[in-house]
Amino acid sequence: MHRLSIIIAAVFTCAITACSSPNEKPTKNVTTAEIKPKYDGITAASWLTGSWICPAGDATVIETWATENDSTLAGKSIVVKGKDTLPQETILLTQ
């Protein structure tokens, strides 16, 4: 039983000393307001999300944007002319 106590004490001492280093600097606590978004360019372009309709003569251009993730916006545009739908382009904005 005495031997088991010594082993437990040794393991506990190793765990405590391994988790603390004399060279460690304390970290500063920051608020979320102080953290700059990693993808601030994509955040600034988020106003694009949704559908946009633009009449173009006898056709209509429809553009749709969606947020794929925190660093990517996906856009797709089509042209509708009468009963025909023509794909125009697919765009990925990434940062």
Side-chain angles (χ1 to χ4, degrees), residues 43-81:
T43 303
S46 66
W47 62 270
L48 283 170
T49 37
S51 294
W52 301 80
I53 300 172
C54 177
D58 60 343
T60 303
V61 178
I62 302 171
E63 199 169 296
T64 305
W65 288 90
T67 303
E68 290 218 332
N69 55 45
D70 62 346
S71 65
T72 307
L73 287 177
K76 181 179 181 180
S77 71
I78 59 171
V79 175
V80 178
K81 186 173 183 179

Side-chain angles (χ1 to χ4, degrees), residues 5-42:
S5 298
I6 293 174
I7 293 173
I8 291 173
V11 169
F12 183 72
T13 303
C14 288
I16 294 296
T17 56
C19 293
S20 62
S21 169
N23 297 330
E24 277 186 29
K25 295 180 181 178
T27 58
K28 176 186 173 197
N29 291 330
V30 294
T31 63
T32 53
E34 294 176 296
I35 299 172
K36 182 179 179 185
K38 187 173 182 181
Y39 302 107
D40 53 345
I42 291 297

